[in-house]
Amino acid sequence: MAMKERSIPIAQTITAVFAVAELGLTAYLISGDWNAPARLRLLHFASIWSLFVLAFLALAPRYLPGLFHRIPMAALALECITAIFWLGGSIALAAYWGIPSCSGNSYCGSSQAAIAFGFFLFALFCFLLVADGLGFVRGNGQRAANGHHASKPPTQLGV
C-alpha cells in the first residue's frame, strides 16, 4: 500500500475528530446565546456537514461502489464545498470576534478555539481535496477518493 493510500484514511480520521471537537465547541457557544450570530451557526452546520461528508467518503466506496464510481467527481465536489464552508465560516467568525482579551472567560476562549479548529479543518479538507484530486487526475478519472482503485472484476483461475 502506497504512502498516499495510507495517509488519506488517517487524515479523514483526524478530520472527523476535529469536526466532533468543533461541533462541541459551537454547540456550547450557541447554547449560551439564543441570539447566536449566523456566523457561529454556519460553523455548527459545517461541523455536521463535515461528518456526513466524511461518512460518505469512507463508506460509499465500500458499500455503494456502483454509485461512487458512476459519479467520480462527487467526492471532489463535496470536499471542495466543505473546504469553502470552513474557510468562509472561520473568517466570518474571526472578523466578528476580532482579537478579544479573554481574561479567563470560558465563552471567549471557546470562541477562539472554535475559530482555530475551523481553520485547521479548512486545511485538512484542502489536503483531502488535493490528495483525491491528484489521484483522480493520475488515474484518468478511474480512481476513487480514499485511495481505492476502481474495482476490476476478479479473474478466475484455470479458465
Side-chain angles (χ1 to χ4, degrees):
M1 183 181 279
M3 180 64 171
K4 179 205 169 283
E5 291 176 354
R6 285 188 301 221
S7 66
I8 289 188
I10 292 169
Q12 287 177 334
T13 303
I14 293 169
T15 305
V17 169
F18 278 24
V20 169
E22 180 77 16
L23 180 64
L25 285 168
T26 54
Y28 168 70
L29 293 169
I30 290 172
S31 70
D33 184 8
W34 286 102
N35 296 320
R39 298 157 183 90
L40 192 55
R41 291 188 210 137
L42 174 62
L43 283 180
H44 191 71
F45 164 76
S47 301
I48 297 167
W49 171 267
S50 295
L51 292 172
F52 282 125
V53 168
L54 289 168
F56 173 77
L57 293 175
L59 300 176
R62 291 173 184 88
Y63 298 108
L64 301 170
L67 171 71
F68 193 76
H69 295 299
R70 262 187 280 148
I71 312 169
M73 295 288 289
L76 297 175
L78 286 172
E79 290 169 343
C80 183
I81 290 168
T82 306
I84 290 169
F85 282 156
W86 283 114
L87 180 64
S90 299
I91 289 175
L93 191 60
Y96 177 76
W97 283 106
I99 305 174
S101 174
C102 291
S103 303
N105 183 348
S106 66
Y107 188 86
C108 178
S110 296
S111 69
Q112 288 180 335
I115 293 167
F117 271 105
F119 282 114
F120 282 131
L121 282 159
F122 166 70
L124 285 166
F125 271 102
C126 284
F127 169 77
L128 291 172
L129 178 63
V130 168
D132 287 340
L134 288 174
F136 180 79
V137 169
R138 289 181 183 154
N140 295 324
Q142 297 302 314
R143 189 173 174 96
N146 302 338
H148 298 289
H149 291 279
S151 59
K152 294 180 182 176
T155 58
Q156 294 180 356
L157 297 174
V159 175

